[in-house]
Amino acid sequence: MIPVVTIDGPTASGKGTVAHRVAQALGYHCLDSGALYRLTALAALQRHQALDDAKALGEIAARLDVRFAGQKIYLEGVEVSLGLRAEEVGSSASKIAVFPAVRTALLERQRAFRMAPGLVADGRDMGTVVFPDAQLKIYLIASVEARVQRRTKQLIENGIIANMSSLLHDLRERDARDTQRAAAPLVKAEDAVTIDSSELGIEEVVAQVLDCAAKRGLGSAP
Ligand code: C5P
């Protein structure tokens, strides 16, 4: 069985960066599942598709022409790595993620990332729905204040203008949608290890995850 480490948690909890670093350290592949929801949202926005038509959105998700090449992401042959990070795309992603038709269309695509020697997958339902048999499940949380600060910094670094009060509002809305939806809500898997990163730097979180992985014999030479 190909090993999987799942990292689930709310928006801007640091999942993406932590997942990437842990994957590098273990020599595993990495799945940013949020990117698939963002790509579906971006494709819908580009087509002026209403974001409340579950059937049409499910079809867009099923037919998504995407390519991941290292850190770069292509939609229909066009690089969209930066555009994908925009807040409008993130909040649209959380609106379309409520539809089971969208989630089902993306399920097998996500499972296809499980390739030797292993996978680190980050998202909301990695440990609960997509990889329930994962060898290690992390539930990464952080206070809303810490998350707003991180998201602001991330946006500014990417040259995107950030407004803290609208970010806070957006983050709270997204948390509510992600935790309250009926289909695959953000919830801690029973067997997940919780790490609160509010007061921790990325390196400390990565070290804690790698420590948990080592205890389970992951990433060591066969
Ligand atoms: O993680 P990220 O912020 O890029 O995800 C964008 C949105 O996609 C989230 O707000 C969430 O609603 C949705 N998502 C999801 N399930 C996942 C990953 C992301 O519903 N596994």
Side-chain angles (χ1 to χ4, degrees), residues 8-12 15 32-38 84-85 89-98 103 110 122-126 130 151 174-175 177-178 181 183-184:
D8 288 307
T11 299
K15 304 179 304 293
D32 166 9
S33 65
L36 289 171
Y37 288 91
R38 286 173 182 263
L84 223 48
R85 306 312 322 162
V89 179
S91 72
S92 302
S94 101
K95 287 180 192 153
I96 64 151
V98 302
R103 308 201 70 84
Q110 295 172 83
D122 86 79
R124 305 292 187 292
D125 61 343
M126 296 296 97
V130 183
R151 179 53 55 91
R174 257 212 268 177
D175 280 355
R177 259 200 305 271
D178 288 352
R181 68 182 175 220

Side-chain angles (χ1 to χ4, degrees), residues 184-212:
L186 170 64
V187 61
K188 178 181 178 290
E190 255 177 38
D191 48 350
V193 177
T194 299
I195 300 179
D196 184 341
S197 73
S198 308
E199 307 285 325
L200 300 177
I202 287 290
E203 297 306 333
E204 288 165 294
V205 179
V206 170
Q208 286 194 20
V209 177
L210 288 175
D211 189 45
C212 294

Side-chain angles (χ1 to χ4, degrees), residues 120-187:
V120 180
D122 86 79
R124 305 292 187 292
D125 61 343
M126 296 296 97
T128 50
V129 175
V130 183
F131 303 109
D133 62 340
Q135 282 71 9
L136 171 62
K137 299 179 186 178
I138 303 290
Y139 193 62
L140 189 59
I141 55 169
S143 69
V144 79
E145 293 77 17
R147 292 187 287 132
V148 166
Q149 271 177 14
R150 279 182 206 154
R151 179 53 55 91
T152 308
K153 190 165 165 264
Q154 198 179 44
L155 289 173
I156 290 170
E157 276 166 8
N158 286 330
I160 300 171
I161 295 167
N163 174 314
M164 274 181 105
S165 67
S166 81
L167 270 179
L168 183 65
H169 175 76
D170 183 59
L171 215 77
R172 288 211 163 106
E173 264 195 349
R174 257 212 268 177
D175 280 355
R177 259 200 305 271
D178 288 352
T179 52
Q180 288 163 21
R181 68 182 175 220
L186 170 64
V187 61

